[in-house]
Amino acid sequence: MNSFLPWLAVLPFFGFAAAIFFPSKEAWISRWSFLIVATHALAIQFYSLAFLFGTPNHYHFDGPKIYQTGSFIFNLSLYFDRTSAVFLCVGGVLTFLVTRFSRYYLHREPGYKRFFVTVLFFYSGFTLTILAGNFELLFTGWE
């Protein structure tokens, strides 16, 4: 279960990065955003259920070191506990509903692609903020 944790943080960012290069066709960008958010929300639900019925009370993933000097080490550290599970589930469902509703509400608007790319970018930062295992990564997700 611990090795699946980085994929929860990377999936929304992958969806955001891929959506930038999509053509500006409404059907493609809305389906892609909907697919990424729905897949991530479903993965969060399964991961949270497996976590709640498992034995550990938290998962901690220490990734590679990005920067090290003296006594300071900046690494990609992810942390998942009950609070993270609740926030990720609520955020996933709300973002899912926003993408579902906006698909029809923003039909034929000039900023259609920009809106969905921005939603995916926000969702990436939100996920990184919730799963951050240190203050540096928390700040990165917040910004």
Coordinates of all heavy atoms in Angstrom, one line a residue, residues 26-66:
E26 N -13.7 21.1 -27.2 CA -14.4 21.0 -25.9 C -14.6 19.5 -25.4 O -14.4 19.2 -24.3 CB -15.8 21.6 -26.0 CG -15.7 23.1 -26.0 CD -17.1 23.8 -26.0 OE1 -18.1 23.0 -25.9 OE2 -17.2 25.0 -26.1
A27 N -14.9 18.7 -26.3 CA -15.2 17.3 -25.9 C -14.0 16.6 -25.4 O -14.1 15.9 -24.4 CB -15.8 16.5 -27.1
W28 N -12.8 16.8 -26.0 CA -11.6 16.2 -25.6 C -11.2 16.6 -24.2 O -10.8 15.8 -23.3 CB -10.5 16.4 -26.6 CG -10.7 15.7 -27.9 CD1 -11.8 15.1 -28.3 CD2 -9.7 15.6 -28.9 NE1 -11.6 14.5 -29.5 CE2 -10.3 14.8 -29.9 CE3 -8.4 16.0 -29.0 CZ2 -9.6 14.5 -31.1 CZ3 -7.7 15.7 -30.2 CH2 -8.3 14.9 -31.2
I29 N -11.1 18.0 -24.0 CA -10.6 18.5 -22.7 C -11.5 18.2 -21.6 O -11.1 17.9 -20.5 CB -10.3 20.0 -22.8 CG1 -9.5 20.5 -21.6 CG2 -11.5 20.8 -23.0 CD1 -8.1 20.0 -21.6
S30 N -12.8 18.3 -21.8 CA -13.8 18.0 -20.7 C -13.8 16.5 -20.4 O -13.8 16.1 -19.2 CB -15.2 18.4 -21.1 OG -15.7 17.7 -22.2
R31 N -13.7 15.6 -21.4 CA -13.6 14.2 -21.1 C -12.3 13.8 -20.4 O -12.3 13.0 -19.5 CB -13.8 13.4 -22.4 CG -15.2 13.4 -22.9 CD -15.3 12.5 -24.1 NE -16.7 12.7 -24.7 CZ -16.9 12.7 -26.0 NH1 -16.0 12.6 -26.8 NH2 -18.2 12.8 -26.4
W32 N -11.2 14.4 -20.8 CA -9.9 14.1 -20.2 C -10.0 14.6 -18.7 O -9.6 13.8 -17.8 CB -8.8 14.8 -20.9 CG -7.5 14.6 -20.3 CD1 -6.8 15.5 -19.6 CD2 -6.7 13.4 -20.2 NE1 -5.6 15.0 -19.1 CE2 -5.5 13.7 -19.5 CE3 -6.9 12.1 -20.7 CZ2 -4.6 12.7 -19.3 CZ3 -6.0 11.2 -20.5 CH2 -4.8 11.5 -19.8
S33 N -10.4 15.8 -18.4 CA -10.5 16.3 -17.1 C -11.4 15.4 -16.2 O -11.1 15.1 -15.1 CB -11.0 17.7 -17.1 OG -10.2 18.5 -17.8
F34 N -12.6 15.1 -16.8 CA -13.5 14.2 -16.1 C -12.9 12.8 -15.8 O -13.0 12.3 -14.7 CB -14.8 14.1 -16.9 CG -15.9 13.3 -16.3 CD1 -16.6 13.8 -15.2 CD2 -16.2 12.0 -16.7 CE1 -17.6 13.1 -14.6 CE2 -17.2 11.3 -16.1 CZ -17.9 11.8 -15.1
L35 N -12.2 12.3 -16.8 CA -11.6 11.0 -16.6 C -10.5 11.0 -15.5 O -10.4 10.1 -14.7 CB -11.0 10.5 -17.9 CG -10.2 9.2 -17.9 CD1 -11.2 8.0 -17.8 CD2 -9.4 9.0 -19.2
I36 N -9.6 12.0 -15.6 CA -8.6 12.1 -14.6 C -9.1 12.3 -13.2 O -8.7 11.6 -12.2 CB -7.6 13.3 -14.9 CG1 -6.8 12.9 -16.1 CG2 -6.7 13.6 -13.8 CD1 -5.8 11.7 -16.0
V37 N -10.1 13.2 -13.0 CA -10.6 13.4 -11.7 C -11.4 12.2 -11.2 O -11.3 11.8 -10.0 CB -11.5 14.7 -11.7 CG1 -12.2 14.9 -10.4 CG2 -10.6 15.9 -12.0
A38 N -12.2 11.6 -12.1 CA -13.0 10.4 -11.7 C -12.1 9.3 -11.3 O -12.3 8.6 -10.3 CB -13.9 10.0 -12.8
T39 N -11.0 9.0 -12.1 CA -10.1 8.0 -11.8 C -9.4 8.2 -10.4 O -9.2 7.3 -9.6 CB -9.0 7.8 -12.9 OG1 -9.7 7.6 -14.1 CG2 -8.1 6.7 -12.6
H40 N -9.0 9.5 -10.2 CA -8.3 9.8 -9.0 C -9.2 9.7 -7.8 O -8.8 9.2 -6.7 CB -7.7 11.2 -9.1 CG -6.7 11.5 -8.0 ND1 -7.1 12.3 -6.9 CD2 -5.5 11.1 -7.7 CE1 -6.1 12.4 -6.1 NE2 -5.1 11.7 -6.6
A41 N -10.4 10.2 -7.9 CA -11.4 10.1 -6.8 C -11.7 8.6 -6.5 O -11.8 8.2 -5.3 CB -12.7 10.8 -7.2
L42 N -11.8 7.8 -7.5 CA -12.1 6.3 -7.3 C -10.8 5.7 -6.6 O -11.0 4.9 -5.7 CB -12.4 5.6 -8.6 CG -13.0 4.3 -8.6 CD1 -14.3 4.3 -7.8 CD2 -13.2 3.7 -10.0
A43 N -9.6 6.0 -7.1 CA -8.4 5.5 -6.4 C -8.3 5.9 -5.0 O -7.9 5.1 -4.1 CB -7.2 6.0 -7.2
I44 N -8.7 7.2 -4.7 CA -8.7 7.7 -3.3 C -9.7 6.9 -2.5 O -9.4 6.5 -1.3 CB -9.0 9.2 -3.3 CG1 -7.9 10.0 -3.8 CG2 -9.3 9.6 -1.8 CD1 -8.2 11.4 -4.0
Q45 N -10.9 6.6 -3.0 CA -11.9 5.8 -2.3 C -11.4 4.4 -1.9 O -11.5 4.0 -0.8 CB -13.2 5.7 -3.1 CG -13.8 7.1 -3.4 CD -14.2 7.9 -2.2 OE1 -14.7 7.3 -1.2 NE2 -14.1 9.2 -2.4
F46 N -10.8 3.7 -2.9 CA -10.3 2.4 -2.7 C -9.1 2.4 -1.7 O -9.0 1.6 -0.8 CB -9.9 1.7 -4.0 CG -11.0 1.2 -4.8 CD1 -11.2 1.6 -6.1 CD2 -12.0 0.4 -4.2 CE1 -12.3 1.1 -6.8 CE2 -13.1 0.0 -4.9 CZ -13.2 0.3 -6.2
Y47 N -8.2 3.4 -1.9 CA -7.0 3.5 -1.0 C -7.5 3.8 0.4 O -6.9 3.2 1.4 CB -6.1 4.6 -1.5 CG -4.7 4.6 -0.9 CD1 -3.8 3.6 -1.3 CD2 -4.4 5.5 0.1 CE1 -2.5 3.6 -0.7 CE2 -3.1 5.5 0.6 CZ -2.2 4.5 0.2 OH -0.9 4.5 0.8
S48 N -8.4 4.7 0.6 CA -8.9 5.0 1.9 C -9.6 3.8 2.6 O -9.4 3.6 3.8 CB -9.9 6.2 1.8 OG -9.2 7.3 1.3
L49 N -10.4 3.1 1.8 CA -11.1 1.9 2.4 C -10.0 0.8 2.8 O -10.1 0.3 3.9 CB -12.0 1.3 1.4 CG -13.4 2.1 1.2 CD1 -14.2 1.4 0.1 CD2 -14.1 2.1 2.5
A50 N -9.0 0.6 2.0 CA -8.0 -0.3 2.3 C -7.2 0.2 3.5 O -6.8 -0.6 4.4 CB -7.0 -0.5 1.1
F51 N -7.0 1.5 3.6 CA -6.3 2.0 4.8 C -7.1 1.9 6.1 O -6.6 1.5 7.1 CB -6.0 3.5 4.5 CG -5.5 4.3 5.7 CD1 -4.2 4.1 6.2 CD2 -6.3 5.1 6.4 CE1 -3.7 4.7 7.3 CE2 -5.9 5.8 7.5 CZ -4.6 5.6 7.9
L52 N -8.4 2.2 6.0 CA -9.3 2.1 7.2 C -9.4 0.7 7.7 O -9.5 0.5 8.9 CB -10.6 2.7 6.9 CG -10.7 4.2 6.7 CD1 -12.1 4.6 6.3 CD2 -10.2 4.9 7.9
F53 N -9.4 -0.3 6.8 CA -9.5 -1.7 7.3 C -8.1 -2.4 7.5 O -8.1 -3.5 7.8 CB -10.3 -2.5 6.3 CG -11.8 -2.1 6.3 CD1 -12.3 -1.5 5.1 CD2 -12.6 -2.2 7.4 CE1 -13.6 -1.1 5.1 CE2 -13.9 -1.8 7.4 CZ -14.4 -1.3 6.2
G54 N -7.1 -1.7 7.2 CA -5.7 -2.2 7.4 C -5.2 -2.0 8.9 O -5.9 -1.4 9.7
T55 N -4.1 -2.5 9.2 CA -3.5 -2.3 10.5 C -2.8 -1.1 10.8 O -2.9 -0.6 11.9 CB -2.6 -3.5 10.8 OG1 -1.6 -3.6 9.8 CG2 -3.4 -4.8 10.9
P56 N -2.0 -0.5 9.9 CA -1.2 0.7 10.3 C -2.2 1.9 10.4 O -3.2 2.0 9.7 CB -0.2 0.9 9.1 CG -0.9 0.3 7.9 CD -1.7 -0.9 8.5
N57 N -1.8 2.9 11.3 CA -2.6 4.1 11.5 C -2.1 5.2 10.6 O -2.7 6.3 10.6 CB -2.6 4.5 12.9 CG -1.2 4.8 13.5 OD1 -0.2 4.6 12.8 ND2 -1.2 5.2 14.7
H58 N -1.0 5.0 9.8 CA -0.6 6.0 8.8 C 0.4 5.3 7.9 O 1.0 4.3 8.2 CB 0.1 7.2 9.5 CG 1.4 6.9 10.1 ND1 1.6 6.3 11.3 CD2 2.7 7.1 9.6 CE1 2.8 6.2 11.6 NE2 3.5 6.6 10.6
Y59 N 0.5 6.0 6.7 CA 1.5 5.5 5.7 C 2.4 6.7 5.5 O 2.0 7.8 5.4 CB 0.9 5.1 4.4 CG 0.1 3.9 4.4 CD1 -1.2 3.8 4.1 CD2 0.7 2.7 4.8 CE1 -1.9 2.6 4.1 CE2 0.0 1.5 4.8 CZ -1.3 1.5 4.5 OH -2.0 0.3 4.5
H60 N 3.7 6.4 5.5 CA 4.7 7.5 5.3 C 5.7 7.0 4.1 O 6.2 5.9 4.2 CB 5.5 7.7 6.5 CG 6.5 8.9 6.4 ND1 6.1 10.1 6.7 CD2 7.7 8.9 6.0 CE1 7.1 10.9 6.5 NE2 8.1 10.2 6.1
F61 N 5.8 7.8 3.1 CA 6.7 7.5 2.0 C 7.8 8.5 1.9 O 7.5 9.7 1.8 CB 5.9 7.5 0.7 CG 6.7 7.2 -0.5 CD1 7.1 6.0 -0.9 CD2 7.1 8.3 -1.3 CE1 7.8 5.7 -2.0 CE2 7.9 8.1 -2.4 CZ 8.2 6.8 -2.8
D62 N 9.0 8.1 2.0 CA 10.2 9.0 1.9 C 10.7 8.8 0.5 O 11.3 7.7 0.1 CB 11.3 8.7 2.9 CG 11.0 9.3 4.2 OD1 10.4 10.4 4.2 OD2 11.3 8.8 5.2
G63 N 10.6 9.8 -0.4 CA 11.0 9.8 -1.7 C 12.5 10.2 -1.8 O 13.2 10.3 -0.8
P64 N 12.9 10.5 -3.0 CA 14.3 10.9 -3.2 C 14.6 12.3 -2.7 O 13.7 13.1 -2.5 CB 14.4 10.9 -4.8 CG 13.1 11.1 -5.3 CD 12.1 10.5 -4.3
K65 N 15.9 12.5 -2.4 CA 16.3 13.8 -1.9 C 16.5 14.7 -3.0 O 17.1 14.4 -4.0 CB 17.7 13.7 -1.2 CG 17.6 12.9 0.1 CD 18.9 12.7 0.7 CE 18.8 11.8 2.0 NZ 20.1 11.6 2.5
I66 N 15.9 15.9 -2.9 CA 16.0 16.9 -3.9 C 17.2 17.9 -3.7 O 17.9 18.2 -4.6 CB 14.7 17.8 -4.0 CG1 13.5 16.9 -4.2 CG2 14.7 18.9 -5.0 CD1 13.5 16.1 -5.5

